[in-house]
Each structure stands twice: as C-alpha cells, then as structure tokens.
Amino acid sequence: MLKRSVKSRAQYGECRRNLDHAKDECEVLTVLVLAADHRAGDLIPQIEAVPGVYVISQTDDSFLALARARALLPDVLIIDLSARFAGDAATVIDKARQLEPPSHILVHSGDAVVGTVSPAGAVGPGAAGSPPGLAHALARLAGDVAPPL
C-alpha cells in the first residue's frame, strides 16, 4: 500500500526535491493517459481524485504515449479508445505490453475499464462484478480497496 502524504502535483514535486523526506512519503501511483484531448479533460480529474494517484503525462497520440512511457516509466498506462492510434488500438496495446519495465495497462472506453494487462502480462477483461470506472480500478491498484472476489 502506498503512503498518501502527497495531495497535489506541487506537493509531489516539493516532496521529491526535499531529501529530508523518507522515500515512502513521496510514493504515488504514476499514470500516463493516452486519450483524445476532449476525453482527457474529463478523465484526469477523475484519476487525480483517487488518493495517491498522480498523472505524469497525457497525450492523444499513441506514438508519443509509447515514447513517453519509455522515458517516464509510469506505473499505469491508461489507453482510452478515443485516442489517435498509429495503426490500430490492438497494435498499440501489444507495443505497450512490451515496455520495460512493464506497466499496468487499463483499456478504457466510455465510462468503463474494458480490459486490463498486468505487469506480469496477464490479459483480462475489466473487473467483473466490481464498479467499472477508472477511479475504482486505480484505487484497487493503489491498495485502497480490496479486489473483487
């Protein structure tokens, strides 16, 4: 479980610069969002409302998202199907699965998480029997809620 001492981007930056803080106090679940700009405006506030979750980058271009993922090493890559894809969405998801180190991948459409890929490579549908939204999926990854039975 992650510590929740960081509440905003400014606090995260300050925490990272202040070497007096223990490493754990700055830990957050980092997220890179691949979504059309009009969707990102709705998604990012939902994502950052989850305690301990921080959006480190957003783009609507899949090529740029993969390049940023290689450089920024996010814990979670959210791929919203509204984005512009170089090729098709399946090809981009497959390339995202090959990132090193691997990230959790959440595939999002409408208001639901429609697919997941764990860092170990396990592919699955969105969590059956649990709320389908991003906030719930991210809270589960951050350790705030128990996974569905």
Side-chain angles (χ1 to χ4, degrees):
M1 180 168 318
L2 301 172
K3 282 200 169 187
R4 304 295 181 246
S5 61
V6 177
K7 304 282 191 245
S8 70
R9 290 176 194 230
Q11 285 180 338
Y12 177 72
E14 182 61 31
C15 189
R16 293 296 296 226
R17 286 188 292 276
N18 186 346
L19 299 178
D20 294 334
H21 281 85
K23 180 179 179 269
D24 288 351
E25 291 183 31
C26 295
E27 287 189 29
V28 294
L29 192 70
T30 58
V31 177
L32 190 150
V33 178
L34 170 58
D37 290 336
H38 71 277
R39 291 284 297 147
D42 294 332
L43 295 176
I44 291 172
Q46 291 176 40
I47 294 165
E48 290 193 330
V50 178
V53 177
Y54 173 72
V55 174
I56 56 173
S57 183
Q58 180 274 323
T59 183
D60 69 342
D61 181 279
S62 64
F63 184 79
L64 184 55
L66 292 171
R68 287 180 181 175
R70 284 184 203 92
L72 299 173
L73 309 175
D75 298 310
V76 180
L77 174 59
I78 295 174
I79 300 174
D80 188 85
L81 296 180
S82 67
R84 291 183 299 153
F85 294 101
D88 59 30
T91 301
V92 172
I93 293 166
D94 187 53
K95 288 181 180 181
R97 291 178 65 197
Q98 298 171 30
L99 292 171
E100 287 295 330
S103 299
H104 289 276
I105 301 169
L106 300 177
V107 181
H108 185 263
S109 180
D111 291 326
V113 174
V114 296
T116 63
V117 180
S118 76
V123 178
S130 69
L134 274 177
H136 183 79
L138 290 167
R140 207 171 69 244
L141 290 175
D144 283 348
V145 296
L149 298 174

